[in-house]
Amino acid sequence: MAFYNTDLRGSICTQDKDPLTNVPLSELAPEAQSAVHLAIEGTSSVSRLFKSTISQQQVFAYSIPVYAEGRVIGVLSATDYMEIFSDILSGNTVLGGGGYIHLISSDASFLLRSPHTVVQTNPATIYDGPYLSNSSVQEVQQAMAGQERVFSSFTYEGRSYPFLLEPVGLNDWYLFCVNTGDGLASYSTSFTLTIGGMFTVLLLLVLFLMFRGYRLLQEYNRGLRRLAYFDSSTGAENAARFQQRLVEALGTGGGSVVALSLRQFPFIVEIFGKERAQRLLRHIKEILDRHMQKEEFFCRDSGDLFYLFLRDTEPEVIRPRLHALLQDLEHNAEISKLDYQLAFYCGVVSAPAGTQAASTADHLLTSVSFALDRAKGGYASTIWFFDTELHKKEELANSIESHMHQALLDQEFKMFLQPKKDLHTGKLGGAEALVRWSTASGRTIYPGQFIPLFERNGFCVKLDLYMVEQACRQIRSWMDRGIQPIPLSVNQSKLLFFEPNYVQTLTELVHAYNVPPHYITLEILEGLALENVEALNEKITQLQAEGFRISLDDFGSGFSSLNTLGKLKIDELKVDRAFLLEMSSQEQARVRLILKEIVQIARQLSISTVAEGVETEEDEQLIREIGCDFGQGYLYSHPVSTEDFDRTFMEGASL
């Protein structure tokens, strides 16, 4: 027995075997497919005979449409053996011992043959044997094409045998009734009555069989539907049915999909046992039932994951509804009454009315999974609404993480240089190395898009070393071309700075390119000193012993401390551009005084100073007056490629 949806996928039950689910109709025999197609169109049907792939016997299929709210939602189908007919056809002879019945198809081939045949050669069709003369073949073909009754006779081994071709009324089949008597006259009345009686019996048997099959299919209908559309653990609809209903619901208006998950469900299973956890899921199902409104529905997908469809689309309406649902779940679910604090995560995505239902359904289920992932992680119940802009950022982050290692191998990370001006001489005093990511497709990804991510996932360690090597390569290039090198500053992350072999790795790099280490300035952030100043100073001392210079970057951007400045053994201090931005405020005089004192303190500590964010002539005049050694900013140049830097600044041009 089988149940097929209108999408031509179904479930099949066979005796003594496990049910098969999600079976495409195309895997059935063509005869069975034809019967199902007719039933989908609303017509009950019986197929032609075919060989069963399961039993390897001749069977036929009968199919009936299944209705819901006046429309066909699927087809129930069953197969049975032809022995039902052969029990009649192979029984004792009819016509008082003077006749036999065969079953033939519309093309006159024998479907079932009585074992008491008159003709022993077993021809394939009645056209092949002695049954018809050449002149009567066309007459019989025309009669059978019109499903008409045919009386005739044939001669076999010197004897004449009357026969009757009687249409059955199913699949254009015929009963082929042969009288073994010498003549038709003596038995005409008995023959006709017997044939009529046998036809009536056969027809009643077929009708009984169909009625019995229909009743059996009705009996198994609920079981098959539950197998196809319902979750056996909770009784809720399953994901397949939810997606089907979702497409239908979106076709009639807008709505929202909610993904609901239970916090730490695997631990609940471990603590309370599988049976208690299953009862909890069933209780959740009961609570969800109470909160569903008209035209709303839900399903359990797997584990602790439920999907809900709500007709509301506005967050200000959905949020209080979900809060009420979560409170109900937290306080009334079974395990919550055992001093165990339940928490639930909700992801929500909405679709306005008028969108394409099928494509929107798939998109909603994908988006709501993303929203659910964002909601997870906390200790309390959380509701997260899908955010398109945030999703784009997450997509970019995912793309960055999946390509960053190959991008490093392919040298897609490019070194750009921004010059520093020596305020005492007016000449080029150095440059800061900044990274840009130019993909193979020509797309540029900016540092603000990938640097924070690399600092979180640790890839900054590899990238920072790569940038040091690029700086060494550039300095080597200048030296090889007879150009006087300038110092290059390279940012170094906290993770890299405290690597066990950090000093040795840097030393090996400069030796590999035969570059004097004093041309490399390592820029660190003040946050490195907050945990352990002594450990940081120890590492700085080791680097300075190898010839590297150390710069403290972004001083003044956060909670900068003069105490920290006094303890660190740095060579350079970079004053954050925030100081220059404050110069236009009402507190200009105070900010100017503070900046001047910082520069003076640094000078007394033999620390050179660099002012970042110099954008105007007024900015430069200010930092000159307070005694800064170097200026860096857009007034002099934006960061440029190494080729443009060489052409603009290394071939005799001045700042």
Side-chain angles (χ1 to χ4, degrees):
M1 303 188 72
F3 177 80
Y4 273 86
N5 300 321
T6 53
D7 61 2
L8 304 184
R9 303 189 76 86
S11 302
I12 300 177
C13 293
T14 56
Q15 190 172 6
D16 301 328
K17 293 184 179 180
D18 292 333
L20 302 175
T21 59
N22 202 31
V23 180
L25 181 62
S26 58
E27 293 187 5
L28 299 186
E31 294 82 0
Q33 293 183 41
S34 178
V36 171
H37 280 296
L38 285 172
I40 287 177
E41 295 172 1
T43 303
S44 299
S45 63
V46 178
S47 76
R48 297 180 182 275
L49 289 175
F50 61 93
K51 188 176 183 179
S52 170
T53 57
I54 298 175
S55 65
Q56 302 301 314
Q57 298 186 42
Q58 289 291 102
V59 298
F60 66 94
Y62 44 96
S63 301
I64 61 171
V66 177
Y67 294 88
E69 298 179 355
R71 64 184 183 87
V72 177
I73 63 169
V75 172
L76 289 174
S77 185
T79 60
D80 212 334
Y81 301 119
M82 285 304 297
E83 278 73 8
I84 291 174
F85 299 110
S86 62
D87 288 344
I88 297 174
L89 303 181
S90 62
N92 293 326
T93 58
V94 297
L95 295 174
Y100 304 100
I101 301 176
H102 313 280
L103 186 64
I104 65 174
S105 66
S106 59
D107 61 0
S109 60
F110 286 90
L111 297 174
L112 287 175
R113 192 191 304 268
S114 173
H116 305 290
T117 56
V118 171
V119 179
Q120 300 299 317
T121 56
N122 293 332
T125 72
I126 62 173
Y127 303 138
D128 299 330
Y131 305 111
L132 302 174
S133 63
N134 292 335
S135 62
S136 62
V137 169
Q138 185 175 2
E139 178 185 351
V140 171
Q141 287 178 334
Q142 291 177 349
M144 292 182 66
Q147 284 287 286
E148 299 174 356
R149 177 183 296 178
V150 178
F151 284 104
S152 189
S153 64
F154 66 92
T155 301
Y156 181 68
E157 295 182 351
R159 296 183 61 183
S160 178
Y161 297 92
F163 69 83
L164 169 68
L165 283 169
E166 178 73 32
V168 174
L170 291 172
N171 298 329
D172 297 336
W173 292 345
Y174 266 82
L175 291 177
F176 180 42
C177 308
V178 179
N179 185 357
T180 60
D182 292 334
L184 181 62
S186 62
Y187 293 102
S188 61
T189 303
S190 176
F191 184 80
T192 303
L193 291 174
T194 303
I195 290 300
M198 289 304 301
F199 173 72
T200 302
V201 171
L202 181 61
L203 185 59
L204 288 174
L205 179 60
V206 171
L207 292 175
F208 169 75
L209 185 62
M210 298 222 24
F211 177 74
R212 176 175 176 268
Y214 180 74
R215 291 293 300 271
L216 287 174
L217 289 173
Q218 280 188 321
E219 183 178 339
Y220 285 105
N221 179 32
R222 294 180 182 177
L224 288 172
R225 283 182 58 81
R226 296 199 71 82
L227 178 66
Y229 286 140
F230 289 85
D231 167 46
S232 59
S233 298
T234 63
E237 291 184 330
N238 60 19
R241 179 57 176 156
F242 180 85
Q243 188 161 9
Q244 186 181 75
R245 294 187 66 183
L246 179 60
V247 173
E248 296 172 356
L250 292 174
T252 61
S256 299
V257 175
V258 180
L260 175 70
S261 179
L262 182 60
R263 178 178 176 269
Q264 293 187 333
F265 181 69
F267 291 100
I268 292 176
V269 176
E270 181 178 346
I271 295 171
F272 296 100
K274 184 176 181 179
E275 182 179 351
R276 182 70 64 83
Q278 290 295 322
R279 289 210 303 269
L280 171 62
L281 294 176
R282 288 193 291 272
H283 201 180
I284 291 174
K285 184 262 182 187
E286 294 171 1
I287 294 175
L288 290 175
D289 274 328
R290 297 200 298 264
H291 284 261
M292 291 297 99
Q293 298 178 1
K294 184 180 180 181
E295 297 185 347
E296 296 181 343
F297 48 89
F298 68 93
C299 79
R300 179 197 175 215
D301 185 3
S302 61
D304 59 315
L305 179 59
F306 291 81
Y307 288 112
L308 291 67
F309 175 75
L310 308 180
R311 272 301 180 189
D312 298 314
T313 58
E314 298 300 324
E316 57 268 22
V317 177
I318 297 173
R319 190 180 297 276
R321 284 193 62 185
L322 291 180
H323 275 307
L325 169 63
L326 296 183
Q327 288 182 354
D328 199 354
L329 291 170
E330 291 172 3
H331 299 112
N332 296 317
E334 180 192 52
I335 290 178
S336 65
K337 300 174 183 178
L338 301 176
D339 294 329
Y340 185 90
Q341 182 63 46
L342 291 176
F344 294 83
Y345 302 124
C346 278
V348 187
V349 62
S350 299
T355 51
Q356 293 185 352
S359 59
T360 301
D362 293 335
H363 178 69
L364 289 179
L365 291 173
T366 300
S367 300
V368 79
S369 296
F370 169 80
L372 180 62
D373 287 339
R374 296 289 299 180
K376 290 181 177 180
Y379 293 96
S381 293
T382 305
I383 301 171
W384 189 278
F385 285 81
F386 179 80
D387 185 291
T388 303
E389 292 302 319
L390 177 62
H391 184 54
K392 289 180 180 178
K393 293 180 181 179
E394 293 287 342
E395 283 183 327
L396 176 61
N398 182 66
S399 176
I400 287 173
E401 286 199 291
S402 61
H403 292 88
M404 59 188 185
H405 293 284
Q406 189 61 44
L408 191 64
L409 293 175
D410 295 341
Q411 296 187 346
E412 292 183 0
F413 294 102
K414 308 297 183 182
M415 184 176 71
F416 277 50
L417 298 175
Q418 186 176 33
K420 298 177 183 178
K421 181 177 181 178
D422 187 329
L423 298 176
H424 302 297
T425 65
K427 296 181 179 181
L428 181 66
E432 181 178 0
L434 301 167
V435 64
R436 297 291 185 269
W437 186 353
S438 180
T439 68
S441 63
R443 177 187 181 189
T444 298
I445 305 176
Y446 295 96
Q449 295 174 303
F450 62 84
I451 291 297
L453 179 61
F454 289 172
E455 289 175 346
R456 292 195 299 269
N457 64 24
F459 188 71
C460 57
V461 171
K462 292 185 177 181
L463 183 60
D464 288 351
L465 286 176
Y466 171 84
M467 290 298 293
V468 172
E469 183 173 4
Q470 296 306 303
C472 291
R473 190 192 301 271
Q474 185 62 44
I475 293 170
R476 181 71 262 165
S477 173
W478 288 331
M479 295 173 68
D480 291 343
R481 288 181 286 159
I483 299 175
Q484 177 62 40
I486 60 172
L488 296 182
S489 301
V490 186
N491 290 285
Q492 302 289 275
S493 63
K494 175 182 177 180
L495 290 176
L496 175 60
F497 206 80
F498 285 111
E499 281 279 302
N501 299 322
Y502 176 58
V503 177
Q504 179 183 348
T505 301
L506 289 185
T507 302
E508 291 174 353
L509 268 178
V510 294
H511 287 171
Y513 286 90
N514 194 20
V515 170
H518 68 268
Y519 283 121
I520 301 295
T521 299
L522 305 171
E523 293 190 0
I524 62 175
L525 296 175
E526 187 181 5
L528 284 172
L530 297 180
E531 297 179 4
N532 192 329
V533 174
E534 289 74 16
L536 179 58
N537 270 332
E538 182 180 349
K539 187 63 64 74
I540 290 175
T541 300
Q542 295 175 16
L543 290 166
Q544 290 171 333
E546 296 293 337
F548 297 100
R549 300 181 75 250
I550 309 300
S551 174
L552 184 63
D553 195 12
D554 292 342
F555 187 82
S557 62
F559 298 96
S560 298
S561 167
L562 293 177
N563 183 47
T564 301
L565 179 62
K567 291 181 179 180
L568 290 180
K569 301 176 181 179
I570 57 175
D571 303 292
E572 179 184 270
L573 179 69
K574 296 189 74 174
V575 180
D576 189 76
R577 63 186 300 269
F579 277 104
L580 294 181
L581 293 176
E582 291 291 339
M583 289 303 163
S584 60
S585 70
Q586 297 179 350
E587 299 181 346
Q588 180 178 358
R590 297 181 62 186
V591 173
R592 178 191 178 102
L593 178 60
I594 293 172
L595 183 57
K596 182 177 181 179
E597 291 300 321
I598 291 174
V599 171
Q600 294 302 318
I601 292 173
R603 176 169 296 174
Q604 294 176 23
L605 295 172
S606 300
I607 298 173
S608 62
T609 53
V610 180
E612 295 182 289
V614 182
E615 298 183 358
T616 64
E617 297 290 348
E618 291 77 11
D619 288 342
E620 184 183 69
Q621 181 62 31
L622 170 66
I623 61 175
R624 281 180 182 277
E625 291 175 358
I626 62 177
C628 279
D629 300 305
F630 298 92
Q632 179 182 341
Y634 292 164
L635 176 64
Y636 312 120
S637 173
H638 286 72
V640 295
S641 66
T642 54
E643 294 81 5
D644 289 342
F645 189 89
D646 280 358
R647 188 164 43 252
T648 304
F649 301 108
M650 301 302 289
E651 297 177 0
S654 61
L655 290 170

